[in-house]
Amino acid sequence: MARPLQGRCAIVTGAGRGLGRAEALELARLGAAVVVNDYGQPGRDGTGAASAGPAEEVVAEIRAAGGTALAHTGDVADFDQARELVETAVARFGALDILVNNAGILRDRMVFSMAEEEWDAVIRVHLKGHFNTTRFAAAHWRQRSKAAGGPVYGRIVNTSSEAFLAGSAGQPNYAAAKGGIVGLTTSTALALAKYGVTANAICPRARTRMTEDVFASLARPDAGLDPLAPEHVAPLVGYLASPAAGGINGQLLVVHGGMVAVMERPRVRGKFDSKQEAFTYDELDAVLTPYYAERPAGETFAAAEVLGLRRGTP
């Protein structure tokens, strides 16, 4: 079996369950030592005895399969705990090579009903959590590159969402956070390229504990792998973390159900020049009103067609 990540160290956040768990297991299968991050402490079983938390359970799975792993239960949305996560990986395994940002929560509600704390919580965990770990991993790679006098090995895989691409009416906080993550990814990709580091983002579709309500109407198949199984997503993460993906940087990919779609960057659809020094209201009315009158009704900047992508379809 190919082990392209042998000798590498990876962090996966939110890796106690669902997507993060599948990603951590895949990275370990490919040879990486994995720091499994999942916020929380070990719990208690039905008898009241101490039981392992989700992060420890995934670590046990990796070790049982012959891999190397370490649990970390800090909150990546906390600046100091994110610093500790990166420092723990470096101290234990000598260096950090791969950062997979996956941790997230949902607080779904229409924008006119959303509470301030529901907005803040989602932005904090998703967007600030991605920034915090990226900030300390980036500093680590920059320092290593300066010491080495050249590029080093570094891979960042961030987790965006189709909610950002298509516009999810009941998830304004989540869509905003996921859009921000794409901006963070492209900025990071440009900033760290000279150090040998790549940063890419994925939009995964998977049935997990966090999304069970979102996909409740989609039945599981009677046989075969569920098209929404996290195992469809994990191999792409492993690939983007590998040496083979060294030429892929600043990209956004949609993945689910045996399908990967490469998203195109935004392009200029129309451009209008004022016939004078600056536009006036009347001139804008004269050029933009007829332009939009010819566009499809209800069309926005959102790419709702991405939701129709399936394996085997164009």
Side-chain angles (χ1 to χ4, degrees), residues 10 27 37 70 93 133 181 190 200 242 249 280 314:
L27 293 174
N37 165 265
L70 175 71
F93 299 110
T133 53
I181 286 168
L190 292 174
N200 295 287
S242 76
N249 194 28
T280 63

Side-chain angles (χ1 to χ4, degrees), residues 20-285:
R21 171 184 170 275
E23 291 163 354
L25 292 174
E26 177 69 3
L27 293 174
R29 189 186 71 81
L30 296 176
V34 183
V35 180
V36 178
N37 165 265
D38 199 82
Y39 182 50
Q41 300 299 324
R44 299 278 174 180
D45 63 19
T47 68
S51 62
E56 289 83 0
E57 291 172 354
V58 175
V59 167
E61 284 188 75
I62 291 172
R63 291 175 177 170
T68 302
L70 175 71
H72 182 273
T73 56
D75 177 8
V76 294
D78 181 281
F79 197 69
D80 290 332
Q81 292 182 53
R83 184 206 312 266
E84 180 192 72
L85 171 59
V86 172
E87 290 177 346
T88 296
V90 174
R92 176 63 177 82
F93 299 110
L96 173 65
D97 302 293
I98 300 155
L99 171 63
V100 179
N101 283 310
N102 168 76
I105 60 172
L106 290 179
R107 298 290 185 271
D108 293 352
R109 203 174 300 278
M110 299 297 285
V111 68
F112 44 75
S113 302
M114 183 161 287
E116 181 182 15
E117 56 269 24
E118 292 170 330
W119 173 271
D120 289 348
V122 168
I123 298 297
R124 176 184 181 274
V125 175
H126 288 273
L127 186 52
K128 188 181 178 187
H130 272 60
F131 159 72
N132 284 346
T133 53
T134 298
R135 186 257 183 254
F136 293 111
H140 168 70
W141 288 319
R142 180 173 178 265
Q143 183 179 25
R144 278 175 54 197
S145 178
K146 288 187 175 239
V152 296
Y153 191 99
R155 299 284 188 270
I156 299 173
V157 182
N158 288 333
T159 307
S160 183
S161 171
E162 292 169 298
F164 150 67
L165 286 172
S168 180
Q171 298 179 303
N173 47 3
Y174 185 70
K178 293 305 190 181
I181 286 168
V182 173
L184 172 64
T185 302
T186 54
S187 174
T188 302
L190 292 174
L192 300 187
K194 66 181 179 181
Y195 302 118
V197 178
T198 67
N200 295 287
I202 62 171
C203 295
R205 190 187 302 180
R207 197 192 309 270
T208 67
R209 189 179 69 158
M210 191 178 84
T211 63
E212 59 187 354
D213 292 337
V214 176
F215 298 122
S217 63
L218 300 177
R220 297 175 185 269
D222 294 330
L225 186 63
D226 184 352
L228 293 175
E231 286 74 20
H232 286 294
V233 176
L236 177 61
V237 173
Y239 169 74
L240 291 174
S242 76
I248 303 173
N249 194 28
Q251 301 299 310
L252 179 64
L253 302 97
V254 175
V255 55
H256 58 80
M259 180 216 76
V260 174
V262 178
M263 299 307 299
E264 188 174 20
R265 65 181 179 84
R267 296 183 180 274
V268 177
R269 175 70 175 266
K271 177 179 176 290
F272 305 92
D273 295 325
S274 174
K275 295 180 180 178
Q276 49 209 3
E277 186 176 6
F279 270 111
T280 63
Y281 170 88
D282 289 337
E283 191 179 12
L284 287 170
D285 181 29

